[in-house]
Amino acid sequence: MIAHEVKGWCPGALRPMMSGDGLVVRVRPFGGRLRRAQADGIASLASAHGNGLVDVSSRGNLQIRGVSPENHPVLIEGLKLMGLIDPTPEVESRRNILVTPFWEPSDETETLAAMLTDALAAADAPELPGKFGFAVDTAGAPVLQDASSDIRLENDANGQLILVAEGMTSGKRVTAANAIAEAIALARWFVVNAGDVTRMKKLVAKGVVPDGATTPRNMVRFAPAPGYTSCGALVGLAFGQMRVETLSTLANHGALRLTPWRLILVENTSELPNVDGIITDPTDPFLRITACTGAPSCPQALGETRILSKNLAPYLGANQTLHVSGCTKGCANPHTAPLTVTAEANGYALIRDGNAGDTPEYSGLSPDDLKDHL
């Protein structure tokens, strides 16, 4: 089996990651929201200093692709002028915060996210693993429970705020006044008890759990899809990627709230005109396909993924979901999927009810062969 390099950290703006098409510069919007001018500014910068492609990551961030090392400093200066850069790479690395896109000015979400941002920027903030993250999921019933996070603020079935260590079915009752202090204390508890574990769920699975988690969680399954909400319009992106022209056009219609679902919420919008590059049909098969960048953009990928995914889309059943991975790492979807296609040195493997590195049902398949096995 080919050994693939596992970075163990996520790219940032101040600490970008080199890929096959240049540096990946990840912009982490404060509070999960971009003002119209910020979104339009990112589009301009990505056009001038990148390859014109922008990704929405599974952590609700924007990734500017194709940036050269020479252009990176100028790009950072532009982002800094828009208030999108943390003071240091260390602060940026800690600020892994997912925010529910459905918050209203009347709830505590916006305030809690801002307070958590300040706490993670403090000089005495705990030093956390690179992929360790937080979720502020406090606008009604939780919607981020399937998204990657380690420490969660969410509401229980009675609408009361609880603090949750990922992997647990119960949480600790907190208030808006002490929630952030308790979240930071839980992060410190993790650092003390983690040993060689880098994610909360793995620590909990070992039977190491924090005290005080006695309130049952409101475990709900949220199915995100394009459509209109009380906060604005949710629109989808095939593979979570768009051209800068699409980003700029969306910014013309409202501020943008990013999600971990390859969807963007355009604030206060009840009707969108036809925008090239977005998905508004909740039955579109591209919403049920996850694909990494693949070759040649990723140097570790053994095969192309995006064109293959487009060719396979018409063959998906109405309820089928598909993950296409350029290698066995499965970066685009580390979880189990009903159908997974993994690029190999001699073709593609098909895995059912597994992940990209599991034993395949078929190996060495051509793109045409795959159509017959979905």
Side-chain angles (χ1 to χ4, degrees), residues 31-338:
R33 179 180 185 267
L34 291 169
R35 299 191 306 273
R36 295 170 66 173
Q38 289 176 321
D40 190 55
I42 290 173
S44 296
L45 289 171
S47 178
H49 305 296
N51 61 11
L53 294 175
V54 179
D55 296 331
V56 179
S57 79
S58 62
R59 289 177 178 260
N61 300 311
L62 282 186
Q63 296 185 158
I64 302 172
R65 301 199 66 93
V67 178
S68 70
E70 295 75 22
N71 284 347
H72 181 246
V74 182
L75 174 63
I76 293 301
E77 284 304 310
L79 293 171
K80 190 178 295 183
L81 289 172
M82 292 188 288
L84 291 169
I85 295 296
D86 292 281
T88 67
E90 293 74 24
V91 172
E92 178 185 68
S93 178
R94 287 195 295 267
R95 191 172 59 82
N96 287 323
I97 306 173
L98 268 177
V99 181
T100 172
F102 303 124
W103 57 267
E104 302 278 1
S106 58
D107 64 44
E108 298 286 351
T109 302
E110 197 175 15
T111 299
L112 290 171
M115 292 171 62
L116 180 56
T117 296
D118 290 343
L120 291 173
D124 62 347
E127 291 299 324
L128 298 166
K131 293 193 175 183
F132 196 95
F134 299 78
V136 182
D137 197 6
T138 52
V143 296
L144 299 175
Q145 290 179 340
D146 288 337
S148 177
S149 188
D150 296 272
I151 294 176
R152 301 176 179 275
L153 286 169
E154 61 186 38
N155 294 325
D156 66 11
N158 296 316
Q160 300 298 307
L161 197 60
I162 59 173
L163 177 68
V164 177
E166 177 68 350
M168 299 190 67
T169 58
S170 58
K172 181 179 182 180
R173 183 68 57 77
V174 294
T175 66
N178 70 2
I180 301 307
E182 290 282 358
I184 296 298
L186 181 56
R188 295 187 193 282
W189 173 89
F190 174 84
V191 172
V192 170
N193 291 278
D196 60 354
V197 171
T198 59
R199 302 302 301 270
M200 181 72 79
K201 187 175 182 178
K202 290 186 176 181
L203 183 60
V204 168
K206 288 184 172 185
V208 184
V209 298
D211 294 332
T214 59
T215 302
R217 295 176 69 184
N218 182 17
M219 302 299 292
V220 294
R221 195 62 184 264
F222 177 72
Y228 294 101
T229 76
S230 62
C231 300
L234 273 174
V235 298
L237 302 169
F239 315 124
Q241 189 172 85
M242 60 185 154
R243 292 207 54 82
V244 292
E245 295 85 358
T246 301
L247 177 58
S248 182
T249 301
L250 289 176
N252 288 336
H253 295 282
L256 306 181
R257 300 183 190 181
L258 304 187
T259 81
W261 313 310
R262 294 175 292 157
L263 300 171
I264 294 177
L265 189 146
V266 186
E267 278 186 10
N268 303 318
T269 299
S270 58
E271 185 174 355
L272 280 172
N274 290 329
V275 177
D276 186 45
I278 68 169
I279 299 172
T280 57
D281 179 1
T283 66
D284 192 307
F286 284 110
L287 294 171
R288 293 180 280 112
I289 300 177
T290 303
C292 66
T293 303
S297 295
C298 175
Q300 299 194 62
L302 298 177
E304 196 282 325
T305 57
R306 298 283 171 86
I307 295 175
L308 175 63
S309 297
K310 291 178 180 178
N311 291 335
L312 293 178
Y315 297 88
L316 276 185
N319 297 312
Q320 280 186 310
T321 59
L322 171 66
H323 172 210
V324 181
S325 181
C327 72
T328 55
K329 286 168 60 180
C331 296
N333 180 26
H335 307 295
T336 297

